[in-house]
Amino acid sequence: MPSAVKKIRNLISGGSQLRRHLIRAAAGSLILSLLSKFLMLLTSVFLARWLGAEGYGYYVSSLAILTILSVVATLGFPTLTVRLLSSYYAHEKWGLMRGLLERSSQIVSVSSLVLAGSGAFIIWMLSEHLSESYVHTLWWAMALLPAVALGALRSASLRGLQHVILGQLPENLITPGLFAVILIAWLSIASSLSLELTPDIAMASRFFAVAISFVVGAWLLMRRLPMQIRSATPHYQMKEWSKSATPLLFIIGIGIIGPEANMLLLAMLGSAESAGIYQAASRGAELVAFSLVVANMAIQPTISKLYSTGETKQLQKIIKVAARGTLGLALPVALVLSFFAKPILGSVFGVEFERGAISLGILCAAQVIAAASGSVGQILYMTGHERDAFIGIIAGFFANITFSLILIPIWDIEGAALASALSIITCNVVLALLVHKRTGLNPTAL
């Protein structure tokens, strides 16, 4: 350990521009993520208390639909944009950069508008079977869809241009901050005029926060575009771009569905109570994975840039430091959550949730292994091996379903947690082997 710590310290303390950039990106990503989590928690408490259980249910379900549709609307282009822009920028391919920015914006604009229009029509068709407040909330969510999808693409564009912190600023700080301010202002006015906060008003408030954030984000992107792009003739490689974007879309889709599979199977094979307890435990385990999310966001464009320029030795050092730093942050969080799982779950969620203590410990252990595996998925995405990443994600998904069907009837909540842990381990082992096979890199902290 002393030798490993010394190497990490020496690498970080080096004076190269790349190291300083990575340190700033990681620190900025961490601060922005923490602020975002805090603001989201603050607004969630406000909404839950003022809307009540039913109204809050309308709001969060509409937000979940919006999230899923926005992922579909982007068609895998955000991740692809980070990789290609970083590579094109390193090789000064200005025409391809302009072509990618233009064409991806056009495609995402059309797809998001089509999905929003289709969604609004379906909501109208079902309006007789839904409450008026829920219908209006869903309509506001559909109005939000184009801005959210294009915002994700804009964020990816800024990160691909090596502006990692600016790329996250609108979604992680401006949107939740404005949303909190608008809600507080509305609650102050509503209390004096005896008005009620409804789910559709909450979603409308979010719409205005996202709209302002979108304008700021677009301005940041225009300000940071290299001058060479503005004067370059756009070039398009739609066949290659589509070929890479398709597996990325499926990977992201599975990433959304996969974590919810255990809860749904637990509700079907066990009980709704067990599903609720497991959901609370899994949310706690996400804190362990927080450092990996931050590391991935910080090093994404650097992986693409160094790999495309053939600087694999420097890339190996960076991903090794990132893996060890991620593990160093994840391990103490996992130990605290595991040893004090019962009182933490009881004090935060309620006494009935203490039954998920063992599950929380199992999930924390799995997340530590994921942290030790390093940014395996991001390395494959950023080096053009997204089809190999799809293999690993699929392996983990089917392992999750298979083990859940076997273990949930036997051990209920603990069975679901063990199935999830085994799927996480399976996925990361397969991805790590594929990274080494395709790139010769060792992504792990070992």
Side-chain angles (χ1 to χ4, degrees), residues 307 312 315 376 379-392 430-443:
Y307 187 78
T312 53
L315 178 56
V376 282
I379 295 172
L380 289 171
Y381 304 154
M382 294 296 109
T383 57
H385 298 100
E386 56 278 337
R387 294 183 180 274
D388 292 291
F390 184 66
I391 294 173
V430 172
L431 290 175
L433 292 173
L434 288 170
V435 167
H436 185 68
K437 179 181 179 181
R438 298 301 184 190
T439 66
L441 299 169
N442 175 15

Side-chain angles (χ1 to χ4, degrees), residues 51-65 129-135 137-138 141 198-200 203:
L51 294 177
E54 184 181 24
Y56 188 61
Y58 289 159
Y59 174 80
V60 295
S61 61
S62 300
L63 200 59
I65 293 171
H129 306 284
L130 303 172
S131 69
E132 183 179 357
S133 179
Y134 195 20
V135 169
T137 306
L138 287 168
T198 56
D200 52 326
M203 191 62 76

Side-chain angles (χ1 to χ4, degrees), residues 10 174 198 234 317 337 351:
N10 291 339
I174 298 177
T198 56
K317 292 180 181 180
L337 289 175
V351 178

